[in-house]
Amino acid sequence: MGPEYEKIIVLIIVLLASFLTWKMVKDFYITKFHSIFAHLIAIITASFMLLSSMFLFMPKNYQRGVTAEVELNFLSIATVFIMLAILYLFFKYIPDNKKK
């Protein structure tokens, strides 16, 4: 697979993870705070998810113009999936169980 396709795949994974984080956090906090504050908290949390997941795909010895810009590997994808699963557990599953 070429480096262009790896960049596209990583970009899709990172943006999807950030969007899902934003959605989960916003839906959780909108019931507790005003919608503007819930949206701001969700944007900040999604920004941290964007940065942390992007750092996962960075090569260890990155040199500008010499090495690949992203490194697509199973461990990074699994880590992003685990982070999203934990967020889902905290913001969707646990509060729904307490209501029942």
Side-chain angles (χ1 to χ4, degrees):
M1 186 178 324
E4 298 86 21
Y5 294 117
E6 286 185 2
K7 289 179 192 177
I8 292 170
I9 292 170
V10 167
L11 182 65
I12 290 170
I13 291 170
V14 167
L15 289 177
L16 184 65
S18 297
F19 175 74
L20 290 175
T21 301
W22 171 80
K23 182 75 173 136
M24 283 187 280
V25 172
K26 185 178 104 17
D27 289 346
F28 177 75
Y29 281 116
I30 205 151
T31 60
K32 295 171 182 18
F33 298 122
H34 190 271
S35 63
I36 294 174
F37 293 123
H39 190 66
L40 287 174
I41 292 169
I43 288 174
I44 291 169
T45 309
S47 299
F48 283 122
M49 175 60 88
L50 180 84
L51 288 173
S52 63
S53 58
M54 200 59 213
F55 286 141
L56 283 172
F57 292 104
M58 249 177 34
K60 303 296 180 234
N61 299 323
Y62 175 70
Q63 294 178 356
R64 187 174 178 189
V66 178
T67 59
E69 295 174 358
V70 293
E71 202 174 71
L72 187 63
N73 55 18
F74 177 74
L75 185 61
S76 299
I77 295 171
T79 305
V80 170
F81 182 75
I82 290 169
M83 287 191 299
L84 285 173
I86 290 171
L87 282 175
Y88 180 79
L89 182 72
F90 285 154
F91 289 117
K92 291 282 188 179
Y93 183 70
I94 292 175
D96 286 344
N97 275 348
K98 289 183 180 178
K99 290 179 185 176
K100 292 179 182 177

